[in-house]
């Protein structure tokens, strides 16, 4: 790490603390002692965001262990204050500290609320070692940061808001300490943590940090008293959409003066949060690693109780259970969900239809497993006239049943928009209707696709088995595509079997399907693009 140094021209002279008569003046007065001062560390260690003097910092210098002399820095780094002249040709010792108010005290503190720039900056303590200066030479002083600095980078992600609430420490951090200034030949002083404990609300940097291979959404910084922390300490807490995530220290660690501890956090709801932690410093502070975990239930509920916001498998199962007694309960996914190893109960039954809105927001549910010997097998048993399922991708589904089944719904009276199903649908008795998206459609299915294997079933359709649009029914299928084994038609039967196209990867490719589906998604927040596996995936409109 390269040092960023701001040279401060210091013109200083001794101030006599008591009045002197002419006879008391020293017999020798040499040239004026001059000082230059620099700050070691640059942007990674300097507390100020822009690494410049603001024009009102105070610096105190101590010469030959005498009284402390105050100087004020201007915006250009020049100090004004007291002149000092050599009294003899003997070497002198010089030590500096910033701010000058720290010169006469052995205690230092950082504030708990560092969210404002002023509070954040107030915790910065700078000091030099005791420097010996020979007669006629300038005193070249290097100020070094004596507190520890923490940086938290949060990687952009689907559940990360613009301003997540971040807290450092779980009310167990020492906010005060006794500071012993550096000695001759030592860059840093020593600390004894004080009794005042708390947590720190960090300062949000105006511009997110740059981290190789990461798209950082927001960065925070905080200054802390150097101290030792035990394994299991809840170091970083992040509140997102009412859900609390914490990073616990896996090992004991000692925060050292002058060290910068950087944590780059990727939050994936419901999964272990990955934490890249590094230490950038003048001296190696050692290493550490660990995990941040989701401590909640995997979902939040809106104030009116009508909508579940879901971001874990357990959260989705909780919504499923609640929806079995309230078929208007909405669900919004904010993360991909992995249901591998879990059994799904279709929402609704032969006498109850789902009339809420299920918005996948482009996310994928992987490993949906349904094994029902009697009831129809599907994500939803029946979608009612007011029901909507949209922007959802199902991957690696495994359906087994002895009656009718559909990838999204057994029966659809509502709307299914921009949904896809990949996997295996198996009728164990070769009885009943099996459709890639729905078994029976009375509503609308728009811009959906199926790719997989259908086994068994007396009637099979790549998108739907029956599409009814006569009499009181208005079934309509638009711009839907299918491919897979065990399938002969997009719609097996009904009054209108159009609106579906087989992808044969010759005359019709999945790229053709992307164009056709997107043309039908006017006004939808998501559209299809060709993914890495050459199958369509959803992306939010830019």
């Amino acid at each position: 790490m390269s040092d960023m140094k701001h040279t401060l021209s210091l013109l200083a002279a001794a101030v006599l603390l008591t009045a002197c008569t002419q006879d008391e003046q020293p017999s020798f007065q040499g040239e004026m002692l001059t000082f230059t001062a620099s700050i070691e560390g640059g942007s990674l260690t300097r507390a100020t965001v822009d690494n410049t003097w603001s024009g009102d910092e105070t610096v105190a210098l101590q010469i030959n262990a005498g009284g402390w002399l105050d100087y004020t820095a201007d915006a250009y780094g020049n100090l004004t204050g007291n002149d000092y002249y050599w009294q003899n040709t003997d070497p002198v010792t010089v030590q500096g500290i910033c701010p000058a108010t720290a010169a006469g005290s052995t205690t230092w503190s950082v504030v708990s609320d560092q969210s404002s720039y002023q509070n954040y900056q107030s915790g910065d303590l700078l000091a030099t070692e005791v420097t010996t200066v020979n007669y006629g030479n300038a005193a070249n002083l290097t100020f070094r940061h004596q507190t520890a600095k923490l940086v938290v980078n949060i990687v952009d992600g689907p559940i990360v808001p613009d301003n997540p609430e971040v807290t450092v420490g779980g009310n167990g951090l020492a906010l005060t300490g006794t500071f012993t200034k550096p000695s001759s030949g030592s860059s840093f002083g020593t600390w004894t943590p004080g009794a005042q404990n708390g947590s720190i609300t960090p300062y949000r940097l105006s511009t997110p940090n740059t981290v190789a291979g990461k798209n950082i959404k927001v960065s925070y910084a905080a200054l802390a008293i150097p101290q030792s922390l035990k394994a299991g300490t809840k170091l970083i807490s992040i509140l997102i959409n009412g859900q609390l995530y914490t990073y616990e220290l896996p090992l004991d660690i000692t925060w050292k003066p002058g060290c910068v501890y950087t944590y780059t956090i990727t939050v994936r709801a419901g999964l272990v949060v990955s934490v890249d932690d590094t230490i950038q410093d003048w001296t190696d502070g050692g290493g550490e690693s660990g995990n941040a975990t989701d401590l909640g239930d995997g979902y939040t509920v809106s104030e009116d109780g009508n909508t579940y916001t879901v971001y874990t498998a357990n959260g989705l199962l909780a919504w499923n259970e609640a929806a079995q007694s309230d078929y208007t309960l909405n669900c919004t996914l904010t993360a991909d969900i992995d249901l591998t190893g879990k059994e799904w109960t279709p929402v609704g039954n032969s006498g109850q239809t789902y009339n809420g809105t299920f918005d996948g927001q482009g996310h994928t549910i992987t490993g949906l497993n349904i094994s029902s010997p009697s009831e129809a097998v599907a994500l939803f048993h029946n979608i009612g006239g007011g029901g909507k399922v949209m922007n959802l991708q199902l991957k690696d589904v495994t359906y087994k049943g002895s009656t009718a089944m559909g990838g999204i719904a057994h029966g659809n009276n509502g709307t299914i928009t921009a949904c896809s199903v990949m996997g295996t649908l198996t009728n164990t008795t070769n009885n009943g209707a099996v459709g890639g998206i729905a078994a029976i459609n009375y509503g609308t299915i728009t811009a959906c696709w199926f790719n997989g294997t259908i086994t068994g079933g007396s009637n099979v359709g790549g998108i739907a088995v029956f599409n009814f649009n006569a009499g009181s029914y208005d079934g309509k299928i638009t711009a839907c595509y299918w491919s897979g084994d065990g399938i002969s038609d997009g719609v097996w039967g009904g009054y209108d079997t159009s609106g579906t196209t087989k992808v044969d990867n010759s005359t019709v490719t999945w790229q053709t399907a992307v164009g056709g589906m997107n043309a039908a998604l006017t006004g939808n927040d998501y559209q299809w693009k060709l993914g890495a596996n050459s199958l369509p995936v959803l992306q939010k409109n830019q």
Side-chain angles (χ1 to χ4, degrees), residues 325-349:
S325 56
D326 182 356
Y327 298 105
T328 65
L329 193 61
N330 305 320
C331 181
T332 301
L333 300 186
T334 58
D336 294 341
I337 306 293
D338 191 347
L339 289 177
T340 302
K342 302 180 184 297
E343 182 76 15
W344 180 264
T345 301
V347 177
N349 52 54

Side-chain angles (χ1 to χ4, degrees), residues 373-374 401-405 426-434 455-459:
S374 57
S402 59
T403 58
M405 65 181 67
T426 302
N427 188 291
T428 57
T429 61
N430 292 330
N431 180 39
V434 182
T455 302
S458 56
N459 306 310

Side-chain angles (χ1 to χ4, degrees), residues 138-154:
N140 300 312
L141 305 175
T142 300
F143 285 82
R144 293 183 171 87
H145 299 275
Q146 302 297 327
T147 52
K149 182 177 179 180
L150 305 180
V151 175
V152 179
N153 301 314
I154 300 180

Side-chain angles (χ1 to χ4, degrees), residues 272-334:
V272 171
V273 177
S274 65
V275 179
D276 301 327
D277 43 359
T278 60
I279 300 171
Q280 298 166 317
D281 49 15
W282 303 290
T283 59
D284 186 5
E288 58 186 277
S289 61
N291 295 319
T293 56
D294 177 0
L295 300 180
D297 298 319
Y299 68 93
T300 59
V301 182
S302 61
E303 291 186 4
D304 60 12
N306 293 334
T307 302
Y308 273 49
T309 298
V310 170
Y311 43 88
T312 72
N314 288 338
L316 187 57
L317 293 173
W319 170 83
N320 180 300
E321 182 178 359
Q324 301 296 350
S325 56
D326 182 356
Y327 298 105
T328 65
L329 193 61
N330 305 320
C331 181
T332 301
L333 300 186
T334 58

